[in-house]
Amino acid sequence: HQRHGNLVAGTFFNKKFLFVADPEAIEEIFSLEAKGFLNRDMLYQAKKTLFGDGIINSKTELWVKQRRIMQPIFSKDMVKEWEAIILEEANLLKTQFKGALKVNLTSDFRFLVQSIFIKILLGISLEFRERKALRISIEHISQGLVPLMLSEVFIGKAKWLYPFINKRFFLALAQLKKFIGEVLPQVINQPGHNLASILFQATDKNSDFRLTEALLQDEAVGFLFAGQDTTANTLIWFFYLIGWHPEIHQKISEEIAQFKNEPLHSGVLSQYRYTRAALNETLRVYPPTEALATQVIDDIMISGQRIAKGTLVFLSLYAVHHHPLVWSQPETFNPERFYSDPEERPKYAFFPWGGGLHNCLGRHLAELEMMIIIITLLREYR
Protein backbone atom coordinates (compact mmCIF):
# COMPACT_ATOMS: atom_id res chain seq x y z
CA HIS A 1 0.00 0.00 0.00
CA GLN A 2 2.88 2.41 0.72
CA ARG A 3 4.21 1.70 -2.75
CA HIS A 4 1.01 1.47 -4.81
CA GLY A 5 -1.72 3.38 -2.96
CA ASN A 6 -4.94 2.62 -1.09
CA LEU A 7 -6.44 0.37 -3.79
CA VAL A 8 -4.05 -2.23 -5.19
CA ALA A 9 -5.33 -4.58 -7.91
CA GLY A 10 -3.60 -7.54 -9.51
CA THR A 11 -3.79 -11.21 -10.44
CA PHE A 12 -2.25 -14.30 -8.89
CA PHE A 13 -2.67 -17.80 -10.40
CA ASN A 14 -5.41 -16.32 -12.63
CA LYS A 15 -7.29 -15.01 -9.60
CA LYS A 16 -8.11 -11.29 -9.58
CA PHE A 17 -7.57 -9.54 -6.28
CA LEU A 18 -7.95 -6.09 -4.78
CA PHE A 19 -6.32 -4.89 -1.56
CA VAL A 20 -8.07 -1.91 0.04
CA ALA A 21 -6.59 0.45 2.68
CA ASP A 22 -8.99 3.38 2.37
CA PRO A 23 -11.51 3.63 5.27
CA GLU A 24 -14.16 5.27 3.07
CA ALA A 25 -13.79 2.58 0.41
CA ILE A 26 -14.06 -0.07 3.16
CA GLU A 27 -17.31 1.50 4.36
CA GLU A 28 -18.52 1.38 0.76
CA ILE A 29 -17.60 -2.31 0.51
CA PHE A 30 -19.44 -3.20 3.74
CA SER A 31 -22.49 -1.38 2.40
CA LEU A 32 -22.32 -3.24 -0.94
CA GLU A 33 -21.85 -6.53 0.93
CA ALA A 34 -25.04 -5.85 2.89
CA LYS A 35 -26.86 -5.33 -0.43
CA GLY A 36 -25.62 -8.68 -1.77
CA PHE A 37 -23.00 -7.47 -4.28
CA LEU A 38 -20.20 -9.22 -2.36
CA ASN A 39 -20.15 -12.25 -0.10
CA ARG A 40 -17.72 -14.53 1.69
CA ASP A 41 -18.90 -17.83 0.25
CA MET A 42 -15.71 -18.17 -1.84
CA LEU A 43 -13.84 -19.32 1.26
CA TYR A 44 -16.44 -21.98 2.06
CA GLN A 45 -14.57 -24.96 0.63
CA ALA A 46 -11.23 -23.73 1.97
CA LYS A 47 -12.58 -23.48 5.53
CA LYS A 48 -15.02 -26.39 5.47
CA THR A 49 -12.42 -28.92 6.65
CA LEU A 50 -12.08 -27.03 9.93
CA PHE A 51 -15.30 -25.11 10.49
CA GLY A 52 -17.84 -27.24 8.59
CA ASP A 53 -21.08 -25.27 8.38
CA GLY A 54 -20.54 -23.26 11.56
CA ILE A 55 -21.25 -19.54 11.43
CA ILE A 56 -17.58 -18.77 10.71
CA ASN A 57 -17.92 -20.53 7.39
CA SER A 58 -21.57 -21.12 6.45
CA LYS A 59 -23.02 -19.84 3.21
CA THR A 60 -25.28 -16.81 3.19
CA GLU A 61 -28.73 -18.39 3.62
CA LEU A 62 -27.72 -20.60 6.56
CA TRP A 63 -25.47 -17.87 7.98
CA VAL A 64 -28.41 -15.45 8.29
CA LYS A 65 -30.37 -17.97 10.42
CA GLN A 66 -27.37 -18.74 12.61
CA ARG A 67 -26.66 -15.05 13.08
CA ARG A 68 -30.24 -14.33 14.14
CA ILE A 69 -29.99 -17.08 16.77
CA MET A 70 -26.62 -15.95 18.12
CA GLN A 71 -26.85 -12.16 18.00
CA PRO A 72 -28.96 -11.77 21.18
CA ILE A 73 -26.94 -14.41 23.05
CA PHE A 74 -23.73 -12.40 22.55
CA SER A 75 -25.25 -8.99 23.34
CA LYS A 76 -23.54 -6.78 25.91
CA ASP A 77 -26.21 -7.54 28.52
CA MET A 78 -26.19 -11.30 27.98
CA VAL A 79 -22.42 -11.82 28.18
CA LYS A 80 -22.47 -10.34 31.70
CA GLU A 81 -23.87 -13.72 32.77
CA TRP A 82 -20.38 -15.16 32.32
CA GLU A 83 -18.38 -12.52 34.21
CA ALA A 84 -18.23 -14.69 37.36
CA ILE A 85 -16.38 -17.38 35.36
CA ILE A 86 -13.92 -14.81 34.01
CA LEU A 87 -13.30 -13.36 37.49
CA GLU A 88 -12.81 -16.78 39.05
CA GLU A 89 -10.25 -17.89 36.46
CA ALA A 90 -8.43 -14.53 36.48
CA ASN A 91 -8.13 -14.69 40.28
CA LEU A 92 -6.75 -18.22 40.06
CA LEU A 93 -4.00 -16.99 37.74
CA LYS A 94 -3.32 -14.03 40.02
CA THR A 95 -2.85 -16.45 42.93
CA GLN A 96 -0.49 -18.65 40.90
CA PHE A 97 1.79 -15.65 40.33
CA LYS A 98 2.35 -15.09 44.05
CA GLY A 99 5.96 -15.78 44.96
CA ALA A 100 6.94 -16.49 41.35
CA LEU A 101 10.22 -14.94 40.19
CA LYS A 102 9.39 -15.41 36.52
CA VAL A 103 6.19 -16.11 34.59
CA ASN A 104 5.50 -16.85 30.94
CA LEU A 105 2.59 -14.57 30.07
CA THR A 106 2.22 -15.99 26.56
CA SER A 107 1.61 -19.50 27.86
CA ASP A 108 -0.36 -18.37 30.92
CA PHE A 109 -2.75 -16.17 28.96
CA ARG A 110 -3.43 -18.88 26.41
CA PHE A 111 -4.25 -21.40 29.14
CA LEU A 112 -6.33 -18.80 31.01
CA VAL A 113 -8.43 -17.82 28.00
CA GLN A 114 -8.86 -21.48 27.08
CA SER A 115 -10.08 -22.35 30.58
CA ILE A 116 -12.53 -19.46 30.56
CA PHE A 117 -13.93 -20.34 27.16
CA ILE A 118 -14.31 -24.05 27.87
CA LYS A 119 -16.24 -23.19 31.04
CA ILE A 120 -18.44 -20.73 29.14
CA LEU A 121 -19.01 -23.04 26.18
CA LEU A 122 -19.32 -26.40 27.93
CA GLY A 123 -19.72 -25.60 31.63
CA ILE A 124 -16.80 -27.85 32.60
CA SER A 125 -13.21 -27.57 33.82
CA LEU A 126 -10.34 -29.59 32.36
CA GLU A 127 -7.24 -30.98 34.02
CA PHE A 128 -3.93 -29.32 33.09
CA ARG A 129 -2.87 -32.26 30.89
CA GLU A 130 -6.14 -32.13 28.94
CA ARG A 131 -5.86 -28.36 28.52
CA LYS A 132 -2.27 -28.67 27.33
CA ALA A 133 -3.20 -31.29 24.71
CA LEU A 134 -6.08 -29.13 23.51
CA ARG A 135 -3.86 -26.04 23.39
CA ILE A 136 -1.26 -27.88 21.28
CA SER A 137 -3.98 -29.09 18.89
CA ILE A 138 -5.29 -25.55 18.42
CA GLU A 139 -1.77 -24.21 17.79
CA HIS A 140 -1.10 -26.87 15.14
CA ILE A 141 -4.44 -26.12 13.48
CA SER A 142 -3.66 -22.40 13.52
CA GLN A 143 -0.24 -22.95 11.92
CA GLY A 144 -1.64 -25.20 9.20
CA LEU A 145 -4.85 -23.34 8.37
CA VAL A 146 -3.42 -20.32 6.53
CA PRO A 147 -1.28 -22.21 3.96
CA LEU A 148 -4.10 -24.68 3.35
CA MET A 149 -6.62 -21.86 2.82
CA LEU A 150 -4.29 -19.94 0.51
CA SER A 151 -3.64 -23.03 -1.57
CA GLU A 152 -7.40 -23.67 -1.86
CA VAL A 153 -8.24 -20.07 -2.78
CA PHE A 154 -5.41 -19.29 -5.19
CA ILE A 155 -4.29 -22.65 -6.56
CA GLY A 156 -7.10 -25.10 -5.97
CA LYS A 157 -6.73 -28.36 -4.11
CA ALA A 158 -2.97 -28.20 -3.60
CA LYS A 159 -2.61 -29.63 -0.10
CA TRP A 160 0.30 -31.70 -1.36
CA LEU A 161 2.37 -28.48 -1.24
CA TYR A 162 2.39 -28.67 2.56
CA PRO A 163 2.94 -32.34 3.45
CA PHE A 164 4.21 -31.90 7.03
CA ILE A 165 1.84 -29.09 7.98
CA ASN A 166 -1.00 -30.91 6.30
CA LYS A 167 -0.45 -34.14 8.27
CA ARG A 168 -0.06 -32.33 11.59
CA PHE A 169 -3.08 -30.14 10.81
CA PHE A 170 -5.41 -33.08 10.21
CA LEU A 171 -4.15 -35.00 13.24
CA ALA A 172 -4.74 -31.96 15.47
CA LEU A 173 -8.15 -31.38 13.91
CA ALA A 174 -9.16 -34.99 14.56
CA GLN A 175 -8.15 -34.61 18.22
CA LEU A 176 -10.12 -31.38 18.60
CA LYS A 177 -13.24 -32.84 16.99
CA LYS A 178 -12.95 -36.02 19.08
CA PHE A 179 -12.87 -33.94 22.27
CA ILE A 180 -15.93 -31.92 21.22
CA GLY A 181 -17.79 -35.00 19.98
CA GLU A 182 -17.32 -36.72 23.36
CA VAL A 183 -18.20 -33.77 25.60
CA LEU A 184 -20.95 -31.97 23.71
CA PRO A 185 -23.71 -34.63 24.00
CA GLN A 186 -23.15 -34.67 27.77
CA VAL A 187 -23.69 -30.94 28.28
CA ILE A 188 -26.22 -29.67 25.73
CA ASN A 189 -29.26 -30.73 27.74
CA GLN A 190 -27.89 -29.73 31.13
CA PRO A 191 -29.54 -26.85 32.98
CA GLY A 192 -27.41 -23.77 33.51
CA HIS A 193 -25.88 -21.07 31.41
CA ASN A 194 -23.33 -22.98 29.33
CA LEU A 195 -23.25 -21.60 25.80
CA ALA A 196 -23.64 -24.99 24.08
CA SER A 197 -26.89 -25.68 25.91
CA ILE A 198 -28.24 -22.17 25.21
CA LEU A 199 -27.45 -22.47 21.50
CA PHE A 200 -28.97 -25.95 21.25
CA GLN A 201 -32.25 -24.73 22.73
CA ALA A 202 -32.41 -21.43 20.82
CA THR A 203 -34.78 -20.90 17.87
CA ASP A 204 -34.76 -18.39 15.04
CA LYS A 205 -38.25 -16.92 15.40
CA ASN A 206 -38.38 -15.90 11.73
CA SER A 207 -37.98 -19.44 10.43
CA ASP A 208 -38.25 -21.78 13.47
CA PHE A 209 -34.72 -22.89 12.56
CA ARG A 210 -32.72 -24.62 15.30
CA LEU A 211 -29.14 -25.84 15.40
CA THR A 212 -28.76 -29.60 14.98
CA GLU A 213 -26.21 -31.42 17.10
CA ALA A 214 -23.95 -31.72 14.03
CA LEU A 215 -24.14 -27.96 13.42
CA LEU A 216 -23.52 -27.31 17.10
CA GLN A 217 -20.31 -29.36 16.87
CA ASP A 218 -19.19 -27.16 13.96
CA GLU A 219 -19.99 -24.06 16.03
CA ALA A 220 -18.02 -25.43 18.99
CA VAL A 221 -14.95 -26.01 16.80
CA GLY A 222 -15.21 -22.45 15.52
CA PHE A 223 -15.66 -20.94 18.96
CA LEU A 224 -12.80 -22.92 20.50
CA PHE A 225 -10.48 -22.04 17.64
CA ALA A 226 -11.42 -18.43 16.84
CA GLY A 227 -12.59 -17.36 20.28
CA GLN A 228 -9.34 -18.07 22.08
CA ASP A 229 -6.39 -16.96 19.97
CA THR A 230 -7.57 -13.41 19.25
CA THR A 231 -8.28 -12.70 22.93
CA ALA A 232 -5.10 -14.30 24.24
CA ASN A 233 -2.92 -12.63 21.59
CA THR A 234 -4.36 -9.19 22.37
CA LEU A 235 -3.65 -9.67 26.08
CA ILE A 236 -0.08 -10.74 25.28
CA TRP A 237 0.46 -7.63 23.12
CA PHE A 238 -1.13 -5.38 25.78
CA PHE A 239 1.31 -6.46 28.49
CA TYR A 240 4.20 -6.43 26.03
CA LEU A 241 3.43 -2.84 25.06
CA ILE A 242 2.99 -1.47 28.59
CA GLY A 243 6.22 -3.25 29.49
CA TRP A 244 8.00 -1.12 26.89
CA HIS A 245 6.17 2.07 27.93
CA PRO A 246 6.53 2.53 31.71
CA GLU A 247 4.86 5.94 31.69
CA ILE A 248 1.70 4.39 30.19
CA HIS A 249 1.94 1.44 32.58
CA GLN A 250 2.08 3.96 35.46
CA LYS A 251 -1.06 5.80 34.29
CA ILE A 252 -2.96 2.52 34.00
CA SER A 253 -1.78 1.38 37.44
CA GLU A 254 -2.81 4.70 39.01
CA GLU A 255 -6.27 4.50 37.46
CA ILE A 256 -6.75 0.90 38.61
CA ALA A 257 -5.51 1.78 42.13
CA GLN A 258 -8.28 4.40 42.47
CA PHE A 259 -10.92 1.65 42.47
CA LYS A 260 -8.88 -1.19 43.97
CA ASN A 261 -11.23 -1.80 46.90
CA GLU A 262 -14.40 -1.79 44.81
CA PRO A 263 -15.87 -5.11 43.59
CA LEU A 264 -14.92 -5.76 39.99
CA HIS A 265 -17.79 -6.44 37.60
CA SER A 266 -19.06 -5.32 34.22
CA GLY A 267 -21.04 -2.44 35.69
CA VAL A 268 -17.92 -0.57 36.84
CA LEU A 269 -15.68 -1.09 33.79
CA SER A 270 -16.64 2.31 32.37
CA GLN A 271 -14.57 3.87 35.18
CA TYR A 272 -11.38 2.48 33.67
CA ARG A 273 -11.26 4.89 30.72
CA TYR A 274 -7.49 5.05 30.28
CA THR A 275 -7.11 1.28 30.63
CA ARG A 276 -9.71 0.74 27.91
CA ALA A 277 -7.99 3.36 25.76
CA ALA A 278 -4.73 1.42 26.10
CA LEU A 279 -6.56 -1.79 25.14
CA ASN A 280 -8.02 -0.10 22.05
CA GLU A 281 -4.59 1.24 21.12
CA THR A 282 -3.24 -2.31 21.43
CA LEU A 283 -5.94 -3.47 19.01
CA ARG A 284 -4.94 -0.68 16.64
CA VAL A 285 -1.22 -1.45 16.69
CA TYR A 286 -1.66 -5.25 16.67
CA PRO A 287 -5.16 -6.03 15.30
CA PRO A 288 -6.50 -9.60 15.55
CA THR A 289 -5.95 -10.20 11.82
CA GLU A 290 -4.04 -8.58 8.97
CA ALA A 291 -7.01 -8.41 6.61
CA LEU A 292 -10.61 -9.47 6.02
CA ALA A 293 -11.67 -11.14 2.77
CA THR A 294 -14.80 -11.03 0.63
CA GLN A 295 -15.57 -11.60 -3.06
CA VAL A 296 -17.36 -9.58 -5.74
CA ILE A 297 -20.30 -11.56 -7.14
CA ASP A 298 -21.43 -8.90 -9.64
CA ASP A 299 -19.51 -6.05 -11.28
CA ILE A 300 -19.40 -3.08 -8.89
CA MET A 301 -17.84 0.35 -8.48
CA ILE A 302 -15.53 1.06 -5.54
CA SER A 303 -14.11 4.57 -5.12
CA GLY A 304 -15.09 5.29 -8.70
CA GLN A 305 -13.26 2.23 -10.07
CA ARG A 306 -14.95 -0.73 -11.76
CA ILE A 307 -14.23 -4.00 -9.95
CA ALA A 308 -15.02 -7.13 -11.92
CA LYS A 309 -17.15 -10.05 -10.79
CA GLY A 310 -15.05 -12.76 -9.10
CA THR A 311 -12.44 -10.38 -7.69
CA LEU A 312 -11.18 -11.31 -4.21
CA VAL A 313 -11.27 -8.19 -2.05
CA PHE A 314 -8.97 -7.93 0.96
CA LEU A 315 -9.74 -5.20 3.49
CA SER A 316 -6.25 -4.35 4.74
CA LEU A 317 -7.03 -3.91 8.40
CA TYR A 318 -3.41 -3.71 9.57
CA ALA A 319 -2.49 -1.20 6.86
CA VAL A 320 -5.45 1.06 7.73
CA HIS A 321 -4.55 0.94 11.43
CA HIS A 322 -1.02 2.11 10.53
CA HIS A 323 -1.96 4.53 7.76
CA PRO A 324 -0.04 7.84 8.09
CA LEU A 325 -2.86 9.79 6.45
CA VAL A 326 -5.37 8.40 8.95
CA TRP A 327 -3.30 8.36 12.14
CA SER A 328 -0.70 10.81 13.38
CA GLN A 329 2.54 8.95 14.26
CA PRO A 330 0.89 5.59 13.53
CA GLU A 331 3.83 3.49 14.77
CA THR A 332 3.73 5.13 18.22
CA PHE A 333 1.81 3.39 21.01
CA ASN A 334 -0.36 6.23 22.31
CA PRO A 335 -3.59 5.46 24.25
CA GLU A 336 -4.40 9.19 24.29
CA ARG A 337 -5.87 8.70 20.80
CA PHE A 338 -8.79 6.88 22.42
CA TYR A 339 -8.86 8.75 25.74
CA SER A 340 -9.05 12.53 25.45
CA ASP A 341 -10.03 14.77 22.53
CA PRO A 342 -10.26 11.96 19.98
CA GLU A 343 -9.09 12.83 16.51
CA GLU A 344 -11.69 13.17 13.78
CA ARG A 345 -11.39 9.88 11.93
CA PRO A 346 -13.39 8.04 9.29
CA LYS A 347 -15.74 5.35 10.59
CA TYR A 348 -13.48 2.49 9.50
CA ALA A 349 -10.15 4.00 10.49
CA PHE A 350 -10.34 1.57 13.44
CA PHE A 351 -12.17 -1.73 12.96
CA PRO A 352 -10.47 -4.57 14.86
CA TRP A 353 -13.85 -6.30 15.19
CA GLY A 354 -14.66 -6.08 11.48
CA GLY A 355 -17.77 -4.27 10.32
CA GLY A 356 -21.00 -4.41 8.39
CA LEU A 357 -23.01 -7.64 8.43
CA HIS A 358 -19.99 -9.69 9.55
CA ASN A 359 -18.90 -7.68 12.58
CA CYS A 360 -17.51 -9.93 15.29
CA LEU A 361 -20.23 -11.71 17.30
CA GLY A 362 -17.92 -12.22 20.27
CA ARG A 363 -16.76 -8.61 20.62
CA HIS A 364 -18.59 -7.84 23.89
CA LEU A 365 -17.46 -11.09 25.49
CA ALA A 366 -13.84 -10.54 24.43
CA GLU A 367 -13.79 -6.95 25.69
CA LEU A 368 -15.33 -7.95 29.02
CA GLU A 369 -12.85 -10.81 29.38
CA MET A 370 -9.77 -8.73 28.55
CA MET A 371 -10.70 -5.82 30.80
CA ILE A 372 -11.41 -8.07 33.81
CA ILE A 373 -8.14 -9.99 33.33
CA ILE A 374 -6.07 -6.80 32.93
CA ILE A 375 -7.58 -5.11 35.98
CA THR A 376 -7.38 -8.25 38.16
CA LEU A 377 -3.66 -8.69 37.47
CA LEU A 378 -2.68 -5.02 37.63
CA ARG A 379 -4.45 -4.59 40.96
CA GLU A 380 -1.76 -6.84 42.40
CA TYR A 381 1.31 -6.73 40.18
CA ARG A 382 3.47 -4.48 38.06
Side-chain angles (χ1 to χ4, degrees), residues 137-381:
S137 293
I138 290 170
E139 285 177 2
H140 287 170
I141 292 168
S142 181
Q143 290 161 8
L145 181 63
V146 172
L148 287 172
M149 281 180 59
L150 289 175
S151 71
E152 287 275 6
V153 170
F154 286 114
I155 307 171
K157 292 188 178 298
K159 295 184 178 73
W160 52 268
L161 291 172
Y162 307 97
F164 173 69
I165 291 176
N166 187 47
K167 181 179 179 181
R168 194 172 65 175
F169 172 87
F170 281 105
L171 179 60
L173 181 59
Q175 290 170 337
L176 176 60
K177 290 190 172 184
K178 180 175 182 288
F179 164 74
I180 290 169
E182 289 173 351
V183 175
L184 207 57
Q186 302 171 30
V187 302
I188 54 177
N189 292 310
Q190 287 182 1
H193 200 72
N194 76 72
L195 177 57
S197 176
I198 294 169
L199 286 172
F200 192 57
Q201 295 168 37
T203 304
D204 170 25
K205 294 178 182 176
N206 290 22
S207 62
D208 291 329
F209 171 80
R210 294 184 62 174
L211 296 176
T212 63
E213 193 168 326
L215 263 180
L216 191 59
Q217 289 199 23
D218 289 343
E219 303 295 3
V221 170
F223 289 143
L224 279 173
F225 179 77
Q228 293 182 50
D229 271 11
T230 52
T231 303
N233 288 342
T234 301
L235 285 168
I236 292 162
W237 284 124
F238 177 91
F239 281 87
Y240 171 83
L241 285 165
I242 68 169
W244 279 108
H245 298 84
E247 70 290 351
I248 293 172
H249 188 343
Q250 181 64 26
K251 286 183 181 180
I252 294 169
S253 296
E254 287 172 358
E255 179 177 77
I256 289 172
Q258 289 179 44
F259 311 107
K260 186 172 181 179
N261 296 320
E262 294 184 12
L264 180 57
H265 55 84
S266 56
V268 301
L269 292 182
S270 60
Q271 298 174 140
Y272 300 89
R273 288 182 56 232
Y274 192 82
T275 306
R276 185 175 289 277
L279 178 58
N280 280 334
E281 179 69 343
T282 301
L283 286 162
R284 183 192 69 81
V285 176
Y286 294 114
T289 186
E290 297 91 341
L292 305 170
T294 185
Q295 187 173 36
V296 179
I297 59 172
D298 201 356
D299 291 358
I300 57 171
M301 299 292 289
I302 298 174
S303 294
Q305 296 189 35
R306 180 182 170 276
I307 309 301
K309 177 182 178 180
T311 301
L312 294 169
V313 179
F314 296 92
L315 310 180
S316 302
L317 196 155
Y318 183 90
V320 173
H321 282 196
H322 290 255
H323 202 307
L325 297 180
V326 177
W327 303 91
S328 59
Q329 298 182 303
E331 301 308 317
T332 301
F333 180 64
N334 178 19
E336 295 290 338
R337 304 177 203 276
F338 296 95
Y339 180 65
S340 58
D341 299 323
E343 304 168 13
E344 285 295 322
R345 292 186 291 267
K347 181 177 180 180
Y348 287 106
F350 177 69
F351 62 116
W353 309 105
L357 288 174
H358 290 268
N359 63 82
C360 178
L361 262 176
R363 170 182 180 169
H364 297 305
L365 177 59
E367 288 181 325
L368 175 68
E369 189 175 357
M370 290 187 290
M371 285 293 289
I372 287 176
I373 291 168
I374 287 165
I375 294 165
T376 298
L377 294 181
L378 292 183
R379 278 182 167 187
E380 299 293 330
Y381 305 111

